[in-house]
Amino acid sequence: MAGGVRAVHGLLLRSLASIVGALVFAGTSIWVAAATGTESHEQSSSDVLHFLDGGFLHGKLMGMEPGQGIHWAYPESRETIRFRPGGVDGVKFEGAGSHRAWPSPTCRIQFGNGDEILGELTSVDEDGARFRTWFGGDLIAPRENLSALTFFPAGYEMVYDGPNGVDGWQLQNGSRGWNYEDGAFVAEGVGILGRDLKLSDSAALEFDLAWNGRFSLSFIMYTDAIDRFDYSINSYMFHLTPGYVSLQRVQVGAGVISIGPQTQIPDMLSKSRSRLKIQVDKSQASITLWMDGQLVRRWKDPGGFVAKGTGVVFSSQMEGPTVKISNVQVSRWNGMFEVQAPPTEPLKQDLVYLGNSDKVTGRVQGVRDGRLRVMARRRSLEIPLARVNQVFFAQSGASGSEAPPWEVRAELAGGGAVVLELEEWNRERVSGRSENFGSVVLKPESIRQVRFNASKTQPLGESTSSNEEIWDADE
């Protein structure tokens, strides 16, 4: 109750005009007692409704439908409140369905409109691509809509996707250290955040990092101590500040040893958030850092890989700047897979990357029975999928058409996203139309957050400005 009241107080101070302007009144009396706590709604307050100006409201999404608005249950309201989508950024759902419904997808399928699916690719031909998903069953998409295929290596498995709360995490804080807020850990001061993430001999750790000042963050991997910095335990420690990163080995009896010089990341100086990915292969004693899909550096420990733990610790080391960590994912892989960054220029031909770092350009004719067929330089090649890492498809160019008012981007638990023109959202199903898949039905519990104004690129919950006047939902 207290958290919801504080959230509404902050919202009333920051964006009262936005929330009132977004309401859809249909002859019902809406009464909100943010200060009293009486007449509370029976629904639990596990979801968060975000507005485009940065305001937010805790409560529960009851349903959505064009012409009827977004139906929102707030504990201090006697009635369900209805909002129109124009001023709404999106909704975050607490505890979306587990990735373990399909922990070992074999392929990531990406599309020109930004859709991304994790599942099992069954075939590709001139007519379309067919694949199976854990959230929507069998799907078919036109071939010309494909942007890229990434084939996961043998042994790939998603082992963690969160956070959805503090369970399993250790928080050792000062007065402004790490706290859990709406699907993220946030620190405004010194603090320790740790968890045993079951890091394997070949593992990938990914997370979103956001900041609002000159922060200082250390994160330790492969440690046995998840509630502290412990220099008496072997581990590897990154130190990250805006524009710079370094890696050190912590080794019993030898102390802290830098592995190579400090590395510059100049792009960070013009950003306030990034997606980080660290790939580790113990057998090669290699650690690779990617940021926003671009390779930052690959380190190789000349003394061999010394750490034996499976945990991760994040340490915020400064008072003042806010640091936020969210969308944490950990996966196992076989140590033999390297993702290539997407081409920066539009492709005139399809581009295939192979496991031995070779590449083939031409026209992908199909995928079937474990083989990829490519027409390259007037020769038809058949390549076993076990040798294929990635395929990037030639693109015809974006249509540039304006998005309909009820177009949403559903971001899925365990990874992936689908853009839909929403038809109905209720407790049992989410239905809509996709330009890639046609009619789509999803399970609500498979969605971790939904974005309105789907073309927006800023993260859900980050403040933007909007001077748009909002009228009834059916206009």
Side-chain angles (χ1 to χ4, degrees), residues 122-143:
T122 56
S123 70
V124 176
D125 55 31
E126 293 294 341
D127 296 326
R130 296 163 181 81
F131 43 91
R132 299 188 182 97
T133 67
W134 71 270
F135 57 86
D138 292 342
L139 298 176
I140 302 175
R143 185 201 185 284

PDB file of all heavy atoms in Angstrom, residues 122-143:
ATOM      1  N   THR A 122      11.946 -24.222 -38.587  1.00  0.00           N
ATOM      2  CA  THR A 122      11.683 -25.509 -39.238  1.00  0.00           C
ATOM      3  C   THR A 122      11.992 -25.468 -40.720  1.00  0.00           C
ATOM      4  O   THR A 122      12.440 -26.476 -41.283  1.00  0.00           O
ATOM      5  CB  THR A 122      10.232 -25.938 -39.011  1.00  0.00           C
ATOM      6  OG1 THR A 122       9.342 -24.903 -39.476  1.00  0.00           O
ATOM      7  CG2 THR A 122       9.967 -26.187 -37.527  1.00  0.00           C
ATOM      8  N   SER A 123      11.767 -24.317 -41.387  1.00  0.00           N
ATOM      9  CA  SER A 123      12.102 -24.238 -42.812  1.00  0.00           C
ATOM     10  C   SER A 123      12.059 -22.791 -43.279  1.00  0.00           C
ATOM     11  O   SER A 123      11.390 -21.940 -42.684  1.00  0.00           O
ATOM     12  CB  SER A 123      11.145 -25.083 -43.660  1.00  0.00           C
ATOM     13  OG  SER A 123       9.851 -24.513 -43.691  1.00  0.00           O
ATOM     14  N   VAL A 124      12.792 -22.532 -44.357  1.00  0.00           N
ATOM     15  CA  VAL A 124      12.726 -21.272 -45.091  1.00  0.00           C
ATOM     16  C   VAL A 124      12.712 -21.613 -46.562  1.00  0.00           C
ATOM     17  O   VAL A 124      13.509 -22.441 -47.027  1.00  0.00           O
ATOM     18  CB  VAL A 124      13.928 -20.348 -44.782  1.00  0.00           C
ATOM     19  CG1 VAL A 124      13.853 -19.083 -45.643  1.00  0.00           C
ATOM     20  CG2 VAL A 124      13.978 -19.977 -43.307  1.00  0.00           C
ATOM     21  N   ASP A 125      11.792 -20.996 -47.336  1.00  0.00           N
ATOM     22  CA  ASP A 125      11.806 -21.123 -48.789  1.00  0.00           C
ATOM     23  C   ASP A 125      11.393 -19.784 -49.378  1.00  0.00           C
ATOM     24  O   ASP A 125      11.301 -18.777 -48.661  1.00  0.00           O
ATOM     25  CB  ASP A 125      10.912 -22.266 -49.267  1.00  0.00           C
ATOM     26  CG  ASP A 125       9.478 -22.162 -48.765  1.00  0.00           C
ATOM     27  OD1 ASP A 125       8.987 -21.021 -48.579  1.00  0.00           O
ATOM     28  OD2 ASP A 125       8.831 -23.210 -48.556  1.00  0.00           O
ATOM     29  N   GLU A 126      11.157 -19.739 -50.690  1.00  0.00           N
ATOM     30  CA  GLU A 126      10.810 -18.473 -51.332  1.00  0.00           C
ATOM     31  C   GLU A 126       9.470 -17.930 -50.854  1.00  0.00           C
ATOM     32  O   GLU A 126       9.195 -16.735 -50.965  1.00  0.00           O
ATOM     33  CB  GLU A 126      10.795 -18.644 -52.858  1.00  0.00           C
ATOM     34  CG  GLU A 126      12.163 -18.927 -53.463  1.00  0.00           C
ATOM     35  CD  GLU A 126      13.130 -17.756 -53.316  1.00  0.00           C
ATOM     36  OE1 GLU A 126      12.670 -16.629 -53.081  1.00  0.00           O
ATOM     37  OE2 GLU A 126      14.345 -17.981 -53.437  1.00  0.00           O
ATOM     38  N   ASP A 127       8.615 -18.800 -50.317  1.00  0.00           N
ATOM     39  CA  ASP A 127       7.298 -18.363 -49.857  1.00  0.00           C
ATOM     40  C   ASP A 127       7.322 -17.797 -48.444  1.00  0.00           C
ATOM     41  O   ASP A 127       6.520 -16.914 -48.116  1.00  0.00           O
ATOM     42  CB  ASP A 127       6.295 -19.518 -49.922  1.00  0.00           C
ATOM     43  CG  ASP A 127       6.058 -19.983 -51.348  1.00  0.00           C
ATOM     44  OD1 ASP A 127       6.099 -19.119 -52.251  1.00  0.00           O
ATOM     45  OD2 ASP A 127       5.850 -21.196 -51.557  1.00  0.00           O
ATOM     46  N   GLY A 128       8.186 -18.316 -47.580  1.00  0.00           N
ATOM     47  CA  GLY A 128       8.176 -17.824 -46.211  1.00  0.00           C
ATOM     48  C   GLY A 128       9.060 -18.632 -45.287  1.00  0.00           C
ATOM     49  O   GLY A 128       9.737 -19.583 -45.691  1.00  0.00           O
ATOM     50  N   ALA A 129       9.051 -18.211 -44.019  1.00  0.00           N
ATOM     51  CA  ALA A 129       9.794 -18.885 -42.953  1.00  0.00           C
ATOM     52  C   ALA A 129       8.802 -19.484 -41.972  1.00  0.00           C
ATOM     53  O   ALA A 129       7.814 -18.843 -41.614  1.00  0.00           O
ATOM     54  CB  ALA A 129      10.705 -17.895 -42.240  1.00  0.00           C
ATOM     55  N   ARG A 130       9.077 -20.707 -41.531  1.00  0.00           N
ATOM     56  CA  ARG A 130       8.204 -21.401 -40.587  1.00  0.00           C
ATOM     57  C   ARG A 130       9.020 -21.759 -39.348  1.00  0.00           C
ATOM     58  O   ARG A 130      10.148 -22.232 -39.462  1.00  0.00           O
ATOM     59  CB  ARG A 130       7.631 -22.670 -41.231  1.00  0.00           C
ATOM     60  CG  ARG A 130       6.739 -22.377 -42.429  1.00  0.00           C
ATOM     61  CD  ARG A 130       6.507 -23.589 -43.307  1.00  0.00           C
ATOM     62  NE  ARG A 130       5.676 -23.265 -44.451  1.00  0.00           N
ATOM     63  CZ  ARG A 130       6.123 -22.692 -45.558  1.00  0.00           C
ATOM     64  NH1 ARG A 130       7.415 -22.409 -45.681  1.00  0.00           N
ATOM     65  NH2 ARG A 130       5.296 -22.414 -46.557  1.00  0.00           N
ATOM     66  N   PHE A 131       8.424 -21.521 -38.183  1.00  0.00           N
ATOM     67  CA  PHE A 131       9.137 -21.781 -36.938  1.00  0.00           C
ATOM     68  C   PHE A 131       8.151 -22.019 -35.810  1.00  0.00           C
ATOM     69  O   PHE A 131       6.971 -21.684 -35.898  1.00  0.00           O
ATOM     70  CB  PHE A 131      10.085 -20.622 -36.597  1.00  0.00           C
ATOM     71  CG  PHE A 131       9.496 -19.261 -36.804  1.00  0.00           C
ATOM     72  CD1 PHE A 131       8.841 -18.605 -35.778  1.00  0.00           C
ATOM     73  CD2 PHE A 131       9.590 -18.639 -38.036  1.00  0.00           C
ATOM     74  CE1 PHE A 131       8.298 -17.360 -35.972  1.00  0.00           C
ATOM     75  CE2 PHE A 131       9.042 -17.389 -38.244  1.00  0.00           C
ATOM     76  CZ  PHE A 131       8.389 -16.739 -37.202  1.00  0.00           C
ATOM     77  N   ARG A 132       8.673 -22.638 -34.751  1.00  0.00           N
ATOM     78  CA  ARG A 132       7.866 -22.934 -33.562  1.00  0.00           C
ATOM     79  C   ARG A 132       8.336 -22.062 -32.412  1.00  0.00           C
ATOM     80  O   ARG A 132       9.527 -21.835 -32.237  1.00  0.00           O
ATOM     81  CB  ARG A 132       7.988 -24.409 -33.172  1.00  0.00           C
ATOM     82  CG  ARG A 132       7.508 -25.368 -34.229  1.00  0.00           C
ATOM     83  CD  ARG A 132       7.475 -26.807 -33.710  1.00  0.00           C
ATOM     84  NE  ARG A 132       7.053 -27.725 -34.767  1.00  0.00           N
ATOM     85  CZ  ARG A 132       7.887 -28.427 -35.512  1.00  0.00           C
ATOM     86  NH1 ARG A 132       9.194 -28.338 -35.296  1.00  0.00           N
ATOM     87  NH2 ARG A 132       7.434 -29.227 -36.462  1.00  0.00           N
ATOM     88  N   THR A 133       7.363 -21.601 -31.601  1.00  0.00           N
ATOM     89  CA  THR A 133       7.670 -20.770 -30.444  1.00  0.00           C
ATOM     90  C   THR A 133       6.967 -21.325 -29.216  1.00  0.00           C
ATOM     91  O   THR A 133       5.963 -22.027 -29.321  1.00  0.00           O
ATOM     92  CB  THR A 133       7.201 -19.322 -30.663  1.00  0.00           C
ATOM     93  OG1 THR A 133       5.770 -19.289 -30.706  1.00  0.00           O
ATOM     94  CG2 THR A 133       7.753 -18.766 -31.970  1.00  0.00           C
ATOM     95  N   TRP A 134       7.498 -20.983 -28.023  1.00  0.00           N
ATOM     96  CA  TRP A 134       6.874 -21.452 -26.792  1.00  0.00           C
ATOM     97  C   TRP A 134       5.664 -20.620 -26.425  1.00  0.00           C
ATOM     98  O   TRP A 134       4.805 -21.052 -25.662  1.00  0.00           O
ATOM     99  CB  TRP A 134       7.877 -21.438 -25.638  1.00  0.00           C
ATOM    100  CG  TRP A 134       8.275 -20.078 -25.125  1.00  0.00           C
ATOM    101  CD1 TRP A 134       9.313 -19.311 -25.553  1.00  0.00           C
ATOM    102  CD2 TRP A 134       7.662 -19.355 -24.055  1.00  0.00           C
ATOM    103  NE1 TRP A 134       9.393 -18.145 -24.828  1.00  0.00           N
ATOM    104  CE2 TRP A 134       8.378 -18.155 -23.894  1.00  0.00           C
ATOM    105  CE3 TRP A 134       6.569 -19.591 -23.213  1.00  0.00           C
ATOM    106  CZ2 TRP A 134       8.051 -17.189 -22.937  1.00  0.00           C
ATOM    107  CZ3 TRP A 134       6.248 -18.641 -22.256  1.00  0.00           C
ATOM    108  CH2 TRP A 134       6.984 -17.457 -22.122  1.00  0.00           C
ATOM    109  N   PHE A 135       5.544 -19.402 -26.995  1.00  0.00           N
ATOM    110  CA  PHE A 135       4.472 -18.501 -26.577  1.00  0.00           C
ATOM    111  C   PHE A 135       3.316 -18.450 -27.569  1.00  0.00           C
ATOM    112  O   PHE A 135       2.202 -18.103 -27.200  1.00  0.00           O
ATOM    113  CB  PHE A 135       5.029 -17.082 -26.395  1.00  0.00           C
ATOM    114  CG  PHE A 135       5.695 -16.547 -27.641  1.00  0.00           C
ATOM    115  CD1 PHE A 135       4.972 -15.918 -28.620  1.00  0.00           C
ATOM    116  CD2 PHE A 135       7.057 -16.704 -27.821  1.00  0.00           C
ATOM    117  CE1 PHE A 135       5.583 -15.445 -29.766  1.00  0.00           C
ATOM    118  CE2 PHE A 135       7.680 -16.229 -28.952  1.00  0.00           C
ATOM    119  CZ  PHE A 135       6.944 -15.600 -29.933  1.00  0.00           C
ATOM    120  N   GLY A 136       3.571 -18.798 -28.857  1.00  0.00           N
ATOM    121  CA  GLY A 136       2.519 -18.653 -29.860  1.00  0.00           C
ATOM    122  C   GLY A 136       2.373 -19.837 -30.792  1.00  0.00           C
ATOM    123  O   GLY A 136       1.708 -19.730 -31.823  1.00  0.00           O
ATOM    124  N   GLY A 137       3.019 -20.979 -30.471  1.00  0.00           N
ATOM    125  CA  GLY A 137       2.896 -22.160 -31.307  1.00  0.00           C
ATOM    126  C   GLY A 137       3.634 -22.004 -32.623  1.00  0.00           C
ATOM    127  O   GLY A 137       4.689 -21.366 -32.715  1.00  0.00           O
ATOM    128  N   ASP A 138       3.078 -22.583 -33.720  1.00  0.00           N
ATOM    129  CA  ASP A 138       3.695 -22.519 -35.042  1.00  0.00           C
ATOM    130  C   ASP A 138       3.333 -21.207 -35.723  1.00  0.00           C
ATOM    131  O   ASP A 138       2.158 -20.819 -35.777  1.00  0.00           O
ATOM    132  CB  ASP A 138       3.219 -23.691 -35.905  1.00  0.00           C
ATOM    133  CG  ASP A 138       3.744 -25.026 -35.394  1.00  0.00           C
ATOM    134  OD1 ASP A 138       4.715 -25.011 -34.616  1.00  0.00           O
ATOM    135  OD2 ASP A 138       3.180 -26.066 -35.765  1.00  0.00           O
ATOM    136  N   LEU A 139       4.342 -20.514 -36.270  1.00  0.00           N
ATOM    137  CA  LEU A 139       4.137 -19.242 -36.951  1.00  0.00           C
ATOM    138  C   LEU A 139       4.779 -19.291 -38.335  1.00  0.00           C
ATOM    139  O   LEU A 139       5.747 -20.010 -38.561  1.00  0.00           O
ATOM    140  CB  LEU A 139       4.750 -18.087 -36.149  1.00  0.00           C
ATOM    141  CG  LEU A 139       4.179 -17.824 -34.752  1.00  0.00           C
ATOM    142  CD1 LEU A 139       4.959 -16.709 -34.060  1.00  0.00           C
ATOM    143  CD2 LEU A 139       2.702 -17.471 -34.821  1.00  0.00           C
ATOM    144  N   ILE A 140       4.211 -18.507 -39.268  1.00  0.00           N
ATOM    145  CA  ILE A 140       4.725 -18.392 -40.634  1.00  0.00           C
ATOM    146  C   ILE A 140       4.873 -16.911 -40.953  1.00  0.00           C
ATOM    147  O   ILE A 140       4.000 -16.103 -40.621  1.00  0.00           O
ATOM    148  CB  ILE A 140       3.785 -19.066 -41.656  1.00  0.00           C
ATOM    149  CG1 ILE A 140       3.578 -20.535 -41.310  1.00  0.00           C
ATOM    150  CG2 ILE A 140       4.337 -18.918 -43.067  1.00  0.00           C
ATOM    151  CD1 ILE A 140       2.550 -21.220 -42.214  1.00  0.00           C
ATOM    152  N   ALA A 141       5.985 -16.534 -41.601  1.00  0.00           N
ATOM    153  CA  ALA A 141       6.226 -15.144 -41.980  1.00  0.00           C
ATOM    154  C   ALA A 141       6.740 -15.079 -43.416  1.00  0.00           C
ATOM    155  O   ALA A 141       7.452 -15.978 -43.864  1.00  0.00           O
ATOM    156  CB  ALA A 141       7.238 -14.503 -41.039  1.00  0.00           C
ATOM    157  N   PRO A 142       6.386 -14.012 -44.165  1.00  0.00           N
ATOM    158  CA  PRO A 142       6.911 -13.855 -45.524  1.00  0.00           C
ATOM    159  C   PRO A 142       8.430 -13.750 -45.523  1.00  0.00           C
ATOM    160  O   PRO A 142       9.015 -13.102 -44.649  1.00  0.00           O
ATOM    161  CB  PRO A 142       6.262 -12.545 -45.999  1.00  0.00           C
ATOM    162  CG  PRO A 142       5.076 -12.345 -45.119  1.00  0.00           C
ATOM    163  CD  PRO A 142       5.449 -12.927 -43.798  1.00  0.00           C
ATOM    164  N   ARG A 143       9.056 -14.378 -46.487  1.00  0.00           N
ATOM    165  CA  ARG A 143      10.519 -14.360 -46.552  1.00  0.00           C
ATOM    166  C   ARG A 143      11.065 -12.945 -46.666  1.00  0.00           C
ATOM    167  O   ARG A 143      12.097 -12.623 -46.062  1.00  0.00           O
ATOM    168  CB  ARG A 143      10.988 -15.190 -47.748  1.00  0.00           C
ATOM    169  CG  ARG A 143      12.517 -15.319 -47.827  1.00  0.00           C
ATOM    170  CD  ARG A 143      12.968 -15.680 -49.219  1.00  0.00           C
ATOM    171  NE  ARG A 143      14.402 -15.925 -49.286  1.00  0.00           N
ATOM    172  CZ  ARG A 143      15.337 -14.975 -49.280  1.00  0.00           C
ATOM    173  NH1 ARG A 143      14.985 -13.699 -49.208  1.00  0.00           N
ATOM    174  NH2 ARG A 143      16.628 -15.289 -49.344  1.00  0.00           N
TER     175      ARG A 143
END
